[in-house]
Amino acid sequence: MPEHTPGAILEATGLRKTFGDFTAVDDVSLTLTPGASLAVVGESGSGKTTTARMIAGLEQPTTGTILLAGRQPPGPRARTTERRRFAQHVQMVFQDPYTSLDRHQRIGDSITEVLALHTDLRGSARTARMTELLEQVGLNPQQAISRPRSLSGGQRQRAAIARALAVQPRLLVLDEAVAALDVSVQAQILTLLQDIRRQTQVAYLFITHDLGVVPHIADEIVVMRQGRVVDRGTTTEVLDRSQHPYTRALIDSVPRRGWKPRRRPATPT
Amino acid sequence: MTGTHALLEVKNLHVTLTGDRRRRTVLHRVDLAIPAGAALGLVGESGSGKSLTARTVLGLLPQGARVEGEVRFDGRSLTAMAPAALRGIRSHEIAMVFQDPRAHINPVRTIGDFLTEGLVTTRGVRRAVAEARAAALLGEVGIADGARRLRQRPSELSGGLLQRVMIAAALLTEPRLLLADEPTTALDVTTQAEVMAIIDETRLQRGLAMLFITHDLALAAAVCDRIAVMYAGSVVEELPSGHLSDAEHPYTRALMASRPDLGGPGKKLTAIKGRPLSAFETGPGCAFAPRCPDARDTCTTQHPALLPAGSGQAACHFPHHPRAAAGAAERSTSDA
Ligand SMILES: Nc1ncnc2c1ncn2[C@@H]1O[C@H](COP(=O)(O)OP(=O)(O)O)[C@@H](O)[C@H]1O
Ligand SMILES: Nc1ncnc2c1ncn2[C@@H]1O[C@H](COP(=O)(O)OP(=O)(O)O)[C@@H](O)[C@H]1O
Ligand SMILES: [Mg+2]
Ligand SMILES: [Mg+2]
């Protein structure tokens, strides 16, 4: 049994994942305390999603350990009740909200369904909680009867966040959750996520290829490249003082005032 | 050709489409001008009409579209042109790059076939010559092993590489105008920076004009001379890229404030409340009024026209220079 630091919500140690001969994630260790927010940043293919999926229990690490609130996640053959209990620790939000929302289901129903499965709420109490969740993510309770298709991309992502919050998870893993949105909608979702974190003490593992959004969502940064952690620190340390050339390249890629796009010196793609 | 006119001029463009049986306005009023060799960024949120504007320029609107106003290319009216002549312009003078390259390339054919086909079949260039030219162009867009890539299929290339192939394809016909519709939105930021650098460099070397469509003001400002901001089917502000920080229209300023930035921990992100209206939902007033922090009564009743303001034009009753004193004079307009 791996050692548990009291108070830690996530302790991932030495995570490694191989697909055949290929090592997608190599010796990644991450920790999070309640209400904290850690960004995992890197180019596409650097192993971010694989790391996220292992922590959310969607993928088994080849080696390494994961503790969520001091407990090991149930394996793929664990009993349903055990896996449900695990769901209350960690939930995931994806780039494409349709990964967690059913196209044909009204968004109110898709939240109520989660409440029925994971809580003791019944009848009007359950409906009241569903309404509260919609309001928490900035949706109008009247939109409970909307199907995902009739919502905008930003509204759909709000609905997916509401569904993830329904079980009151201690940790939310957000994998490129704002990547497909307009910058203006990104700002809305990032602001919403910051409010929710303050209100509920939920912790975030925020996966992104865009260092530009990190100061608006995370206190700490881990930089991944080719499956490995190459740089880490508090957001200010990494953004203002990192000397790591790869981190500098990621920072230099973010458009901002006075920015000019530049070709990178040849690196294998 | 020389003259006082811009290479591309879009004047008073109004477009309606039939969808769900009803006829709907998708573009209210779009005016744009791009001089030869210049780059204009067309910026706005999803659904504001950016792609439809580009499609109108190319004459590629869905069936049943009704177009009022005019699109002129090098002094010739595209809106009045016969389909065959328009096809000629489209294949020789105007090229387009889209957001999703995979949707615009045949997955079972090789990159080489894709790049040389037009040259070989419509221009009668010899195959070997066409291939040499394609490989050279791949080199120009930063693909070193061009000869090998020509034999590969789209599925063997990453999104960033494939987008460079699309840029090479666009350059192959030596066009004078490039329409780039969110060419980097599906790429990660490091790949985006490279693809944008390639577009910017090749454009400047060749003196190409460009209409660059994006939802990201900062990205547009980095590669364009001027910016046109769209909202709900209309251009609401037009200004030089370098003057974005003192934009006149509250919407442009709100877009700037909502851009995530590396401006240090003190930089706060200010989201724009609510959602953008579609062109067909707009009422008599300013389409941005329901979300505007500075809206007054006039804004909900009278439509603001695009008029000179600051260093460009703005469609706002109360444009204001952030550094100037508040309380700018009201600008009344006759067209409601
Ligand atoms: N199920 C899988 N089988 C084989 N290779 C995979 C699988 N999932 C991911 N990979 C590979 O692992 C690497 C890391 O992928 P991923 O974790 O998705 O990176 P990121 O999210 O940073 O883009 C990539 O090279 C990818 O092709
Ligand atoms: N083929 C079509 N039929 C009907 N409406 C359309 C069609 N294409 C686009 N629209 C509508 O026109 C508006 C503008 O679309 P578009 O130009 O694609 O916006 P943008 O590129 O700025 O995101 C949207 O409200 C969209 O729903
Ligand atoms: Mg990923
Ligand atoms: Mg578009």
Side-chain angles (χ1 to χ4, degrees):
Chain A
M1 191 68 186
E3 218 164 293
H4 170 54
T5 311
I9 181 73
L10 169 70
E11 294 155 279
T13 315
L15 291 185
R16 180 180 162 85
K17 181 74 185 179
T18 54
F19 298 104
D21 292 340
F22 179 74
T23 305
V25 172
D26 194 6
D27 195 22
V28 169
S29 299
L30 308 169
T31 54
L32 267 170
T33 51
S37 177
L38 170 68
V40 178
V41 188
E43 275 172 292
S44 120
S46 57
K48 307 183 297 296
T49 293
T50 307
T51 303
R53 290 176 58 85
M54 288 191 281
I55 287 164
L58 300 174
E59 196 97 66
Q60 282 284 107
T62 308
T63 57
T65 56
I66 294 169
L67 289 181
L68 282 152
R71 293 149 147 251
Q72 282 186 294
R77 277 180 289 277
R79 285 200 318 271
T80 318
T81 46
E82 247 180 285
R83 272 189 276 135
R84 256 181 223 160
R85 188 157 354 106
F86 180 70
Q88 307 208 341
H89 290 308
V90 54
Q91 283 287 310
M92 197 152 168
V93 176
F94 303 87
Q95 173 169 349
D96 180 2
Y98 282 122
T99 312
S100 55
L101 298 178
D102 182 333
R103 277 167 202 279
H104 305 290
Q105 194 175 30
R106 299 167 195 273
I107 59 164
D109 293 345
S110 83
I111 294 169
T112 318
E113 176 186 84
V114 175
L115 292 173
L117 211 56
H118 293 282
T119 68
D120 298 328
L121 297 171
R122 295 289 172 264
S124 61
R126 196 194 285 164
T127 310
R129 173 74 181 132
M130 181 268 285
T131 306
E132 186 182 83
L133 282 160
L134 288 178
E135 280 175 335
Q136 190 175 12
V137 299
L139 289 172
N140 187 327
Q142 286 160 356
Q143 288 175 308
I145 57 164
S146 305
R147 286 175 221 279
R149 202 171 64 106
S150 65
L151 301 177
S152 69
Q155 289 171 332
R156 266 200 295 278
Q157 196 57 290
R158 288 173 191 268
I161 293 169
R163 191 175 193 271
L165 291 175
V167 301
Q168 296 185 282
R170 312 276 311 273
L171 171 63
L172 208 53
V173 177
L174 301 121
D175 188 3
E176 303 283 7
V178 300
L181 304 171
D182 277 5
V183 286
S184 57
V185 184
Q186 275 186 9
Q188 292 180 333
I189 301 290
L190 291 171
T191 313
L192 169 72
L193 288 170
Q194 288 290 49
D195 291 345
I196 290 172
R197 180 154 77 102
R198 264 193 297 273
Q199 289 155 11
T200 65
Q201 284 296 293
V202 62
Y204 293 153
L205 187 66
F206 191 89
I207 313 277
T208 179
H209 65 84
D210 182 1
L211 254 179
V213 302
V214 172
H216 304 288
I217 190 73
D219 322 315
E220 286 182 85
I221 305 181
V222 159
V223 180
M224 282 185 76
R225 185 183 197 194
Q226 292 167 357
R228 304 186 67 97
V229 173
V230 296
D231 199 5
R232 69 196 311 161
T234 66
T235 301
T236 334
E237 276 165 10
V238 171
L239 291 180
D240 296 351
R241 294 194 284 279
S242 176
Q243 297 300 316
H244 196 287
Y246 184 68
T247 307
R248 299 305 324 168
L250 288 179
I251 293 172
D252 290 342
S253 302
V254 180
R256 71 201 89 153
R257 194 177 300 176
W259 176 82
K260 281 286 164 210
R262 273 187 308 179
R263 294 197 200 201
R264 251 196 303 172
T267 41
T269 23
Chain B
M1 240 200 161
T2 53
T4 49
H5 56 76
L7 180 68
L8 180 76
E9 286 173 292
V10 174
K11 282 186 190 158
N12 214 344
L13 191 68
H14 182 91
V15 174
T16 59
L17 295 181
T18 47
D20 304 338
R21 289 164 316 195
R22 264 169 304 173
R23 179 159 288 279
R24 274 182 171 169
T25 298
V26 285
L27 297 180
H28 277 293
R29 178 161 185 168
V30 178
D31 295 275
L32 304 170
I34 310 180
L40 176 73
L42 188 58
V43 182
E45 290 170 276
S46 280
S48 56
K50 307 181 296 294
S51 295
L52 284 173
T53 300
R55 297 181 78 88
T56 310
V57 170
L58 289 170
L60 291 176
L61 288 173
Q63 280 240 310
R66 222 175 270 161
V67 178
E68 290 164 41
E70 196 175 35
V71 178
R72 296 179 80 82
F73 181 78
D74 201 9
R76 292 167 288 175
S77 172
L78 298 188
T79 24
M81 196 173 276
L86 190 56
R87 268 197 302 278
I89 296 235
R90 222 152 55 206
S91 55
H92 298 295
E93 313 226 45
I94 307 179
M96 181 121 184
V97 177
F98 299 92
Q99 174 176 346
D100 179 10
R102 287 189 210 281
H104 297 271
I105 187 166
N106 185 337
V108 302
R109 312 212 36 217
T110 64
I111 302 298
D113 285 343
F114 171 70
L115 285 175
T116 56
E117 192 165 54
L119 290 178
V120 174
T121 59
T122 66
R123 296 212 178 168
V125 178
R126 286 211 337 272
R127 185 157 191 93
V129 175
E131 278 189 6
R133 216 156 111 198
L137 258 181
L138 288 182
E140 233 187 286
V141 298
I143 303 180
D145 45 354
R148 179 170 73 92
R149 298 293 184 189
L150 288 179
R151 293 192 299 276
Q152 290 185 315
R153 281 169 223 287
S155 60
E156 296 171 74
L157 272 60
S158 68
L161 275 179
L162 202 57
Q163 196 58 295
R164 294 191 216 186
V165 169
M166 302 311 272
I167 294 164
L171 298 176
L172 211 50
T173 59
E174 290 169 20
R176 286 195 286 163
L177 173 66
L178 179 67
L179 303 181
D181 190 353
E182 312 235 16
T184 60
T185 302
L187 306 175
D188 67 28
V189 286
T190 32
T191 315
Q192 165 170 281
E194 281 192 71
V195 168
M196 286 318 304
I198 287 160
I199 290 180
D200 196 39
E201 286 168 23
T202 46
R203 189 187 80 71
L204 290 170
Q205 277 160 15
R206 290 157 181 263
L208 252 180
M210 173 166 78
L211 179 67
F212 178 65
I213 293 178
T214 176
H215 61 90
D216 187 348
L217 262 179
L219 185 61
V223 296
C224 296
D225 308 301
R226 298 185 73 90
I227 304 286
V229 179
M230 275 194 87
Y231 192 76
S234 297
V235 170
V236 297
E237 180 154 25
E238 194 275 328
L239 77 175
S241 298
H243 289 241
L244 270 175
S245 50
D246 38 56
E248 297 286 328
H249 202 291
Y251 180 59
T252 311
R253 291 198 301 273
L255 273 185
M256 292 280 288
S258 71
R259 174 92 184 50
D261 196 326
L262 290 174
K267 168 83 165 63
K268 206 174 158 297
L269 202 58
T270 313
I272 313 174
K273 283 186 305 236
R275 67 170 180 89
L277 291 187
S278 295
F280 72 86
E281 295 175 303
T282 59
C286 168
F288 186 59
R291 303 171 82 188
C292 182
D294 306 329
R296 302 176 213 180
D297 287 348
T298 323
C299 303
T300 57
T301 54
Q302 279 188 40
H303 182 74
L306 192 65
L307 295 172
S311 41
Q313 307 171 78
C316 176
H317 292 300
F318 306 100
H320 87 252
H321 201 285
R323 285 197 297 261
E330 177 176 340
R331 312 189 320 161
S332 51
T333 60
S334 47
D335 67 327

